[in-house]
Amino acid sequence: PVIDFLMTQLFSFANLKTVFISRTPPLVGPNAPPGGIAGISEEDISFTESEIAALLQKLGIDQPRSVIADIYRDTGGWAFAVNLVALSLKNATVYESQARSAMRRQIFQLIDREIFSKLDEKEKNALLKLSLLVQLPVELARSVTGEESPPLERTVSFIRYDAYLDAFQIHQLFLDFLREKTDLLSAGEIRETLCAAARWCDAHGQKIDAISYYEKAGEYDAIIGIAREFALQLPVNSARFILGIFDAAPPGTLEKNVTYYVLRNRLLMSLSRLSDALAECEKYVRRFSALPPSPFTNRVLAGVYEAIAVTGFLAAPATDRYDFDAPMARANHYYRLTPYEAKGQSTKMSIGTWASRVGTTRPGAQEEFIGALTRAVPHAAGAMGGCMSGLDDLARGELFYYRADLRAARTCIEEAAAKAETGGQHDIRSRALFYLLRIAAARGDTGQIEELLPEIERQLDCEEYPTRQITYDIVTSWYHVLAGQHRHAAAWLRGDLDESEFPSFLAEFANVIRMKIYYAGERYYDLLAFLESQPARGVLFGRLEGKVLQAACLYQIKNRAGALDALEQAYGLAESNRLDMPFIEMGQDMRTLTTAALKDGSAGIPREWLEKINSKSATYAKRRLAVTAAYRLANRLGDEISLSSREKEVLTDLYHGLSRSESAAHLNLSVNTVKSLLNMIYLKLGAETTADALRTALEKDLL
């Protein structure tokens, strides 16, 4: 109030310039003078690297650019510290040795004499505790010090408040000074400070920061407690970080925790070190099976056998082995010997884009995998609180879908969705809803789509589903692409494809949708470059969809021979298991491509199959138009119509007076392809003749 009064009085003088020197920015409010207030902050008077170089040059001190960068990093551009360095360098030849240590020593002596020594013991203690923290959100500072207002105002020259972050920022030199004095804290005070920070980070969703603080405090059981709540597959960086903590832990620290053995396996799996994970599990089985039965050994063996089962499940694309049900049964056996309540994310099954983990084209492999799942699911669900519920029905329905048996697929997938909901398996239910959406689109069932979209959105309310927002974005973006509105896909999905050698489940799922966004946006060369960089391994369904996209992209860039060769390779991946749907879902573009294959002939693809796919993809394209029309109506897009670049080329040729055969020759297409494109144009424009189509296209500025 006093400051406000003084400012009001001073601002009333028309010709008076007033300078305020304040520890905190004054709250001027309505009392601001007509000309405003010019503020000079610490950042404004700090030296930049170029200014440090100019100062040293003026003082006759020659230093290389790398040393200038070191001085700036060490001092933060603080004028007082820069001056001390300059004075030290007059009597030193190397900044690294004498000058740096002299600068720090003098600054620390100044801080100790002018600031730290004048604080009371309680304030000193609080500041030393805060120096143990990496970041200083206001809430965290209060939590650690137990003070409503931590003692920061008296040292404001070195500590400032960032309103945007709602956090304190401590000058690096002052922070270094405080950290050199942490020996004034007892071991118990240090441990409790770190644990308080960890608890705060854990409660605010900053799990990795919490783990880092717990490691410094030596609280490894707390680390395991946090990590066990993560999903089955951790992000690679998180898994590597936690595994590094485990490897560096003092011997015997972790082995007393029953969860450690399973968690270590999950970390190795997340890093795609499946063979290492299996080898460690087998070592644990030998070790604990040789011990007398006890609740501890039973729980360890239950967890280890569960880990062996999950490892076998994940490794199936490479091994072509489907016997993971046997270790899952053994896990259930040991769970029953020492029952305990499974809870948290350990009971939730995370899956990738596909329920199937089959990598081979071998006939019968899909059925073998589904059989193993059918046997494994009851054991997993019974022992681990519903884990894997519905996954076998989802895999069965998925196979029916890829075989274009939509009726059977829908029955199985609806059963999977119901079981997953009962068992609390959010990821499995999400994939089931995604397949139901694809089935409805393939059938042109806009009513079913309208029912599914709110159900998909309701998953956002489930706080137990940590990846719900990401999954929702992926699924709804697929729908936007289907409706010809790829620009409405989630912004983060319109970015670069994830080119990691071993992408996570979610990254893999996101890539599948990103590829469709690339294709819809006619980014054919970027998509081809990504597809060609992918290794020839992994889930069969994913490899097949990639090869189909590659064929379509090559045809779009007029590489007809390459497109037909890729189509033949895709057929080779699909034919032994009758996987037609990836071709059919390409709609009109696949009809155009199969028409070209029928014209040119292909020794590797039966004519009967090409004709079947040609007809079914045309039907899919027509049903997709119904979905697009319903989407435009639901989103009030009016008469917005989108023509593909090839459709625009054909229509432009006709506008210029070319006949269909002349347009075919001009665009290097068959006459039948031009006719197919023209039929699609008629459907989109609601036209019956070429004249109608041209008139509508001109009215809507499509040409």
Side-chain angles (χ1 to χ4, degrees):
V2 174
I3 294 295
D4 286 343
F5 173 77
L6 287 173
M7 293 175 75
T8 303
Q9 299 304 310
L10 290 169
F11 291 157
S12 65
F13 293 95
N15 298 317
L16 182 66
K17 302 297 183 184
T18 307
V19 176
F20 288 93
I21 300 176
S22 172
R23 290 178 178 270
T24 57
L27 299 175
V28 179
N31 299 321
I37 292 180
I40 301 176
S41 67
E42 177 188 348
E43 287 79 7
D44 295 324
I45 57 175
S46 292
F47 277 66
T48 64
E49 284 191 44
S50 59
E51 288 168 344
I52 292 173
L55 172 65
L56 295 181
Q57 185 178 17
K58 186 169 183 176
L59 295 173
I61 302 171
D62 186 27
Q63 292 291 334
R65 176 58 62 180
S66 60
V67 169
I68 302 297
D70 287 342
I71 295 172
Y72 179 74
R73 185 185 64 250
D74 291 343
T75 64
W78 183 27
F80 177 79
V82 171
N83 186 52
L84 285 179
V85 171
L87 293 174
S88 299
L89 284 174
K90 284 187 174 182
N91 303 312
T93 55
V94 182
Y95 173 65
E96 281 290 337
S97 55
Q98 297 106 316
R100 177 174 290 178
S101 60
M103 181 269 294
R104 289 173 63 88
R105 185 171 60 254
Q106 292 182 58
I107 290 176
F108 286 2
Q109 288 172 354
L110 174 69
I111 292 172
D112 201 359
R113 181 178 66 250
E114 298 296 330
I115 297 174
F116 194 73
S117 64
K118 297 179 180 179
L119 299 175
D120 62 37
E121 292 305 313
K122 186 177 182 180
E123 290 173 327
K124 290 179 181 178
N125 185 271
L127 284 171
L128 292 174
K129 287 180 177 179
L130 293 177
S131 74
L132 298 172
L133 310 183
V134 177
Q135 298 179 4
L136 277 176
V138 172
E139 282 189 26
L140 176 56
R142 290 171 180 163
S143 174
V144 166
T145 62
E147 301 286 339
E148 184 63 26
S149 299
L152 303 177
E153 289 297 321
R154 292 178 63 179
T155 55
V156 75
S157 298
F158 298 95
I159 303 176
R160 66 181 179 86
Y161 172 70
D162 189 322
Y164 292 103
L165 299 176
D166 192 27
F168 294 110
Q169 302 287 333
I170 302 181
H171 194 288
Q172 187 60 49
L173 285 169
F174 186 54
L175 190 59
D176 291 343
F177 166 80
L178 292 172
R179 287 175 176 170
E180 283 196 2
K181 288 186 170 291
T182 53
D183 58 349
L184 297 175
L185 296 172
S186 68
E189 286 177 315
I190 292 174
R191 178 183 167 279
E192 180 49 39
T193 299
L194 294 170
C195 288
R199 289 191 295 270
W200 186 91
C201 291
D202 186 21
H204 288 77
Q206 300 174 20
K207 304 295 184 181
I208 296 300
D209 287 339
I211 288 173
S212 180
Y213 282 127
Y214 275 134
E215 181 197 14
K216 293 175 183 176
E219 292 291 325
Y220 291 96
D221 284 345
I223 293 173
I224 292 173
I226 293 176
R228 69 177 296 179
E229 292 298 314
F230 290 165
L232 171 66
Q233 189 184 44
L234 284 74
V236 170
N237 289 339
S238 299
R240 187 176 291 119
F241 174 70
I242 298 171
L243 189 62
I245 290 175
F246 285 179
D247 288 340
T253 304
L254 300 164
E255 287 77 1
K256 296 176 183 179
N257 191 310
V258 70
T259 309
Y260 162 72
Y261 302 93
V262 177
L263 184 55
R264 182 175 179 84
N265 178 271
R266 285 169 56 193
L267 297 172
L268 291 169
M269 288 191 297
S270 298
L271 295 170
S272 298
R273 293 171 55 183
L274 299 182
S275 57
D276 291 341
L278 189 59
E280 287 202 3
C281 284
E282 290 172 347
K283 178 184 71 176
Y284 295 143
V285 166
R286 290 192 297 271
R287 173 181 164 188
F288 287 97
S289 295
L291 297 175
S294 70
F296 183 84
T297 57
N298 288 341
R299 288 188 59 182
V300 170
L301 287 169
V304 169
Y305 273 116
E306 172 202 327
I308 292 173
V310 174
T311 304
F313 171 84
L314 294 176
T319 63
D320 194 23
R321 290 181 56 183
Y322 313 105
D323 54 1
F324 49 83
D325 56 301
M328 191 61 78
R330 293 292 295 164
N332 196 20
H333 165 73
Y334 284 106
Y335 276 121
R336 289 198 304 270
L337 289 177
T338 306
Y340 67 94
E341 182 185 2
K343 57 184 179 179
Q345 291 303 313
S346 62
T347 67
K348 314 300 180 186
M349 184 68 179
S350 300
I351 63 174
T353 313
W354 305 277
S356 171
R357 298 292 301 170
V358 176
T360 180
T361 61
R362 178 173 60 82
Q366 298 285 347
E367 289 79 4
E368 290 175 23
F369 173 80
I370 293 170
L373 262 185
T374 302
R375 295 187 298 272
V377 165
H379 295 300
M384 294 180 287
C387 187
M388 296 178 73
S389 294
L391 185 57
D392 51 338
D393 292 291
L394 180 62
R396 192 174 291 108
E398 179 180 72
L399 181 58
F400 280 130
Y401 180 78
Y402 274 84
R403 288 176 174 171
D405 187 344
L406 302 183
R407 185 185 300 274
R410 181 174 176 177
T411 300
C412 292
I413 292 171
E414 285 179 338
E415 184 73 13
K419 289 181 179 178
E421 184 171 24
T422 301
Q425 301 302 297
H426 309 299
D427 224 29
I428 295 173
R429 185 166 183 271
S430 173
R431 297 303 184 278
L433 293 175
F434 179 47
Y435 274 112
L436 290 175
L437 189 65
R438 293 171 73 177
I439 291 168
R443 298 172 65 179
D445 191 343
T446 57
Q448 178 71 10
I449 290 174
E450 289 176 5
E451 292 177 8
L452 283 167
L453 290 174
E455 194 170 352
I456 291 168
E457 187 172 2
R458 275 194 292 274
Q459 284 199 297
L460 291 174
D461 297 329
C462 182
E463 294 184 0
E464 292 182 351
Y465 188 15
T467 60
R468 58 193 180 277
Q469 183 64 61
I470 296 173
T471 306
Y472 174 80
D473 285 349
I474 293 171
V475 172
T476 54
S477 293
W478 177 90
Y479 175 57
H480 292 313
V481 172
L482 176 80
Q485 302 292 329
H486 68 278
R487 292 181 182 84
H488 292 177
W492 67 273
L493 282 167
R494 300 198 300 270
D496 295 335
L497 287 151
D498 187 331
E499 299 192 41
S500 306
E501 185 179 2
F502 300 107
S504 67
F505 285 158
L506 274 178
E508 174 192 75
F509 195 15
N511 269 350
V512 169
I513 307 305
R514 280 198 184 100
M515 287 192 289
K516 295 186 181 299
I517 293 171
Y518 272 41
Y519 187 81
E522 301 181 6
R523 297 178 61 180
Y524 305 125
Y525 290 99
D526 291 337
L527 182 50
L528 283 169
F530 175 77
L531 289 168
E532 289 166 3
S533 71
Q534 296 304 289
R537 54 175 171 72
V539 174
L540 175 62
F541 294 158
R543 288 159 46 215
L544 172 59
E545 290 190 350
K547 188 58 68 175
V548 170
L549 265 178
Q550 184 183 38
C553 284
L554 289 167
Y555 197 79
Q556 292 293 340
I557 63 173
K558 298 181 171 54
N559 184 347
R560 189 184 183 100
L564 295 179
D565 180 61
L567 180 64
E568 186 173 330
Q569 292 178 51
Y571 170 77
L573 292 172
E575 60 91 16
S576 59
N577 285 283
R578 310 187 307 283
L579 308 177
D580 293 343
M581 203 62 198
F583 302 92
I584 296 169
E585 281 188 316
M586 292 302 297
Q588 182 60 32
D589 289 346
M590 183 52 61
R591 185 183 182 189
T592 302
L593 182 53
T594 51
T595 298
L598 285 166
K599 178 183 177 183
D600 291 11
S602 175
I605 308 178
R607 187 174 187 84
E608 179 183 0
W609 184 87
L610 287 170
E611 290 173 345
K612 175 183 70 173
I613 297 300
N614 186 280
S615 173
K616 289 189 174 183
S617 59
T619 301
Y620 185 94
K622 292 177 182 177
R623 290 173 175 169
R624 179 178 176 180
L625 282 177
V627 174
T628 302
Y631 178 99
R632 291 204 304 270
L633 183 62
N635 291 277
R636 299 181 180 180
L637 298 180
D639 295 329
E640 181 183 338
I641 296 171
S642 175
L643 297 179
S644 70
S645 58
R646 186 54 57 83
E647 289 165 350
K648 288 180 181 179
E649 289 174 341
V650 169
L651 201 55
T652 300
D653 280 352
L654 298 180
Y655 175 68
H656 290 156
L658 276 65
S659 67
R660 296 180 185 184
S661 58
E662 288 171 335
S663 177
H666 174 235
L667 299 174
N668 195 27
L669 302 173
S670 69
V671 175
N672 285 336
T673 298
V674 171
K675 289 180 180 178
S676 297
L677 289 168
L678 194 53
N679 286 334
M680 186 59 63
I681 292 169
Y682 288 171
L683 284 169
K684 288 184 176 182
L685 299 181
E688 295 184 1
T689 66
T690 301
D692 288 342
L694 288 171
R695 183 177 62 255
T696 303
L698 288 169
E699 289 173 354
K700 297 183 180 299
D701 293 325
L702 297 175
L703 290 177

